[in-house]
Amino acid sequence: PRVELAWAMKAHQHAQVYFNLISSVDPKFLSLTKVDDRIYQEFRESFRDLRVDVLDPEELKSEPAKAKWRPFCLRFEGVVEDFNYGTLLRLDSRREYTEENTIFG
């Protein structure tokens, strides 16, 4: 529980920074890492049918989902700093960050 709480606190700090970035810069011109294109390509290869506009928590947190996400994240060990940290995600990308619309993954 302490580790997850620490991750949640770090994720909240990152969310604030990233939200400020995407609110002030057109996201199509924004790179968060040097390997953004690789991450996206490998993400789409691993999760072809995953809807990213409206997320289903089961596709993120169920045991079968975790079995797919772990190997995907481990590909970026040593490539992306904090590759295995949690993040705050909006379940519905059209809505604001609220307690009901946010999941920690």
Side-chain angles (χ1 to χ4, degrees):
R2 285 185 178 177
V3 171
E4 190 164 317
L5 178 59
W7 280 0
M9 290 171 56
K10 183 105 172 168
H12 182 264
Q13 291 170 344
H14 283 179
Q16 288 177 316
V17 170
Y18 293 135
F19 187 78
N20 289 338
L21 278 171
I22 64 173
S23 297
S24 61
V25 176
D26 187 340
K28 68 181 172 187
F29 299 115
L30 182 64
S31 292
L32 300 176
T33 75
K34 294 178 181 178
V35 291
D36 285 359
D37 292 336
R38 174 181 163 199
I39 293 169
Y40 184 72
Q41 179 183 356
E42 292 190 32
F43 166 75
R44 274 298 164 210
E45 288 171 4
S46 297
F47 302 95
R48 292 186 202 294
D49 300 323
L50 181 68
R51 287 185 60 192
V52 295
D53 58 338
V54 179
L55 294 170
D56 176 357
E58 283 297 305
E59 292 180 333
L60 302 172
K61 293 203 165 205
S62 68
E63 286 306 315
K66 287 179 184 180
K68 288 180 73 177
W69 279 104
R70 277 188 200 102
F72 172 77
C73 291
L74 288 173
R75 292 183 208 164
F76 301 101
E77 184 174 11
V79 176
V80 176
E81 185 178 346
D82 300 337
F83 76 98
N84 64 342
Y85 273 35
T87 191
L88 294 176
L89 299 167
R90 289 180 292 164
L91 294 171
D92 183 338
S93 65
R94 297 165 295 192
R95 295 178 33 218
E96 299 291 325
Y97 278 102
T98 63
E99 188 173 337
E100 299 80 28
N101 192 42
T102 304
I103 190 170
F104 178 71

